[in-house]
Amino acid sequence: MSGLFDFGASLVEAKGIRQSAESEARASEFNAQQAREKAGIQNTVTTADVQSAKRDAASRAGTARATAGAMGGVEGSIKDIIESNAVQDELDILTIKQRGAVAEKDLLTGARLDIMGADSARKAGKVGSAAAILRGTGSLLKTAEKAATGGFA
């Protein structure tokens, strides 16, 4: 009788293992979806930051040209300063884009890892559940063999 109980317990254990694995997989998929959404938001924020930086750069350049014009023209060191500021503004914009791209890529990489974790959890659930059933089956067969050979008194 204990073999039959062991087999029944192994079926319950197998079901629990599968349910636990599925729950873990769904949590990982949820996390992946959240990461993908955050990556989309990061992209939008980066685009807005770049547009803002371009507006600020254009405003500073306009003010500098107007000031230089009021002082008699854009020549010599004033011209060099305006050009240097333009280069620095462009570098700032490129930095904003790069930081945004790195942050977005990190989020998407995290999402891919979460999906891999979900797949792994499901596979582990299948293997664990199969192992539990095999243990129960082994116990049932051992009990049946004892019964067949007169091992029970």
Side-chain angles (χ1 to χ4, degrees):
M1 272 305 237
S2 75
L4 190 56
F5 289 127
D6 288 346
F7 182 70
S10 74
L11 293 178
V12 172
E13 178 186 5
K15 184 174 181 175
I17 289 170
R18 289 292 292 264
Q19 287 175 337
S20 176
E22 184 59 28
S23 179
E24 183 180 336
R26 286 184 182 174
S28 290
E29 289 170 342
F30 175 81
N31 290 341
Q33 180 59 34
Q34 293 298 303
R36 284 191 294 267
E37 288 176 12
K38 286 179 183 177
I41 292 168
Q42 178 62 52
N43 183 281
T44 301
V45 167
T46 299
T47 300
D49 288 348
V50 166
Q51 289 172 349
S52 176
K54 285 180 178 180
R55 281 191 303 274
D56 291 347
S59 175
R60 280 191 300 277
T63 299
R65 282 191 298 275
T67 302
M71 294 173 56
V74 181
E75 296 178 4
S77 60
I78 293 175
K79 181 180 178 189
D80 292 340
I81 290 170
I82 291 172
E83 288 174 357
S84 175
N85 287 345
V87 168
Q88 186 58 51
D89 286 339
E90 188 58 32
L91 288 174
D92 290 345
I93 289 167
L94 291 173
T95 300
I96 292 167
K97 287 179 180 180
Q98 181 63 26
R99 285 183 183 155
V102 168
E104 183 179 359
K105 183 178 179 182
D106 286 348
L107 289 164
L108 292 173
T109 298
R112 283 191 292 277
L113 289 173
D114 284 333
I115 292 300
M116 290 170 64
D119 292 343
S120 179
R122 285 192 175 98
K123 288 175 185 172
K126 289 177 184 177
V127 170
S129 128
I133 291 170
L134 286 174
R135 276 192 307 275
T137 302
S139 178
L140 183 61
L141 290 174
K142 192 184 264 185
T143 301
E145 182 183 351
K146 282 183 182 179
T149 60
F152 292 115

